[in-house]
Amino acid sequence: MLSDAELAQILDQDIFHLISDAAGTLEMECYVVGGYVRDLFLERSSKDIDVVVVGSGIQLAEHLKKQLGKKAQLSVFRNFGTAQLKVHTGKGQSEEVEFVGARKESYSHDSRKPIVENGTLEDDQNRRDFTINALAVCLNKERFGELVDPFDGIYDLEDGIIRTPLDPDITFSDDPLRMMRCIRFATQLNFYIEDETFDALQRNADRIKIISGERIQEELNKIIMTSHPSIGFDYLYRSGLLPIILPELTALDLVETRNGRAHKNNYYHTLEVLENLIKAGNNDNGKGRKEVSLWLRWAALLHDIGKPKSKRWEVPQGWTFHNHNYLGAKMIPQIFRRLKLPLDAKMKYVQKLVDLHMRPIVIADEEVTDSAVRRLINDAGDDIDDLMMLCEADITSKNHIRKQRFLDNFKLVREKIKDLKERDYKRLLQPVIDGNEIMELFGLTPCREVGTLKHTLKDAVLDNKVANEREPLMKLLLAKASEMGLTLVQK
């Protein structure tokens, strides 16, 4: 644990001395608080400096701005009683400090927006979400570096515990978003949620319904982007939050047995796939793989959500999940809309990966042909590498021989993809005769017949039945058009 003298040495920076001098001039108490202090003890870098002032935080920020002149930019948010000062420290660097007056809060049952009043430092620490975020270090000269820790948060940091300063039922009921933050911090820091605090999560889980989709997905995304998001999803599920915010995922936690044959638990399989994916990204070994992005992680999380709707018992196969990829892809817009996730190219990317995630597995289970790989490259486009990472992570079989066979075949698929890319098949996959020319040749407007003729040419190129050259493609086009009763327009 850092002593007050060690804290003072760490805070021996221009920005903190400037704040200290200004507070002294105005005769105000001021403290650096929250995540910045927590991260000092955890030896983590933190750029967010929050300063609590017993009095007006805006007044202190405005005083500093006058002193610093052009070296600082001030933004004041009077409705919230806060001010943000961006101080330029030279060489293109800057530090941002948020100032707020100490306050106490009270809540109504149907809203997480508090009624705010001016308060003391004690009031301000009482309203903090967790003991590890209630730490404060004084910046006033006579007490510079002195730790104020009324809830023993420093010991919770040492023991790796998430705990609320006051009654957890009140903490979570007042602001239900704190339940998501509780699990997010536990996941990010690999901390244990104290038993009484976790019990309160379970008792108050239903309160999450008053929180907007935007705020929920912000915390959910942070959990997904941790090193081991399965820890967070385990907490979310056991607390009762996950069935409310993402019921499509918890619906996978069902195993049925018939005639002594059971299918795997697709919920725990999904978490394993997500962990495998992140592990593969971390074990890059110089292969040039991209970082496992948020949206690739979402694709892993949702890749099997179509299974409950597609599950069938068939003889002699047993349990089947035909077209679960297609059904899952159709479910994604509804999920993104509910959680206020972006309904743009990011959603389309997740949809595409969910829809295509069975294709490489089917190819790897059979003979790896040029034709099948060409189609895969064409359909996956620039996302082919991400798709392959997802599919390799999806191999979770406990049968080590079967698992190794798939992984070996995936190597063949990757080699084929690389080979075909090097031969510039991407350019050749679009037939030289396009839809506009087809319409002009046969006097058509956009219609089903044009689509049929385009697909005929494209399939022939993909299957390597016809060279992507004008003469053989025109011959095929005329034959298909004649079969459909179409004739060339006389010019």
Side-chain angles (χ1 to χ4, degrees), residues 227-244:
S227 299
H228 295 286
S230 61
I231 295 172
F233 280 97
D234 177 59
Y235 275 130
L236 286 169
Y237 195 3
R238 290 192 293 113
S239 67
L241 289 166
L242 192 61
I244 297 171

Side-chain angles (χ1 to χ4, degrees), residues 434-454:
D434 63 15
N436 291 326
E437 186 173 357
I438 290 171
M439 288 188 286
E440 185 179 343
L441 286 169
F442 298 100
L444 299 171
T445 56
C447 60
R448 181 179 298 177
E449 285 78 7
V450 174
T452 299
L453 291 171
K454 282 177 62 179

Side-chain angles (χ1 to χ4, degrees), residues 205-358:
D206 204 55
R207 290 279 290 152
I208 200 68
K209 292 177 182 177
I210 73 167
I211 302 298
S212 68
E214 289 96 339
R215 300 310 300 274
I216 290 173
Q217 60 103 338
E218 284 175 14
E219 294 299 326
L220 201 53
N221 284 342
K222 289 175 182 177
I223 292 170
I224 291 171
M225 285 303 293
T226 60
S227 299
H228 295 286
S230 61
I231 295 172
F233 280 97
D234 177 59
Y235 275 130
L236 286 169
Y237 195 3
R238 290 192 293 113
S239 67
L241 289 166
L242 192 61
I244 297 171
I245 63 178
L246 202 51
E248 296 85 353
L249 195 58
T250 56
L252 296 172
D253 186 20
L254 176 65
V255 177
E256 287 191 63
T257 303
R258 189 177 292 190
N259 292 346
R261 298 170 69 179
H263 60 79
K264 66 186 172 189
N265 185 305
N266 288 301
Y267 172 74
Y268 291 104
H269 161 75
T270 293
L271 296 186
E272 188 177 353
V273 171
L274 182 56
E275 291 287 334
N276 286 346
L277 187 69
I278 296 166
K279 184 179 179 181
N282 291 338
N283 294 338
D284 182 4
N285 294 328
K287 295 177 183 176
R289 290 179 178 174
K290 295 184 293 183
E291 178 188 354
V292 182
S293 71
L294 171 64
W295 305 110
L296 180 50
R297 294 177 190 221
W298 266 108
L301 196 64
L302 302 179
H303 80 283
D304 273 350
I305 56 169
K307 281 192 170 179
K309 290 184 178 181
S310 64
K311 184 169 67 176
R312 300 286 185 274
W313 173 260
E314 297 180 1
V315 179
Q317 300 97 317
W319 294 108
T320 64
F321 301 92
H322 298 310
N323 292 323
H324 74 271
N325 52 311
Y326 170 74
L327 292 172
K330 286 183 65 177
M331 294 166 66
I332 285 167
Q334 180 183 358
I335 294 171
F336 270 53
R337 200 170 289 114
R338 186 177 72 238
L339 291 176
K340 302 297 188 289
L341 288 160
L343 303 175
D344 55 14
K346 297 180 180 70
M347 183 194 75
K348 295 290 186 184
Y349 165 90
V350 174
Q351 267 192 302
K352 178 164 72 171
L353 263 60
V354 171
D355 190 24
L356 294 178
H357 82 270
M358 292 300 294

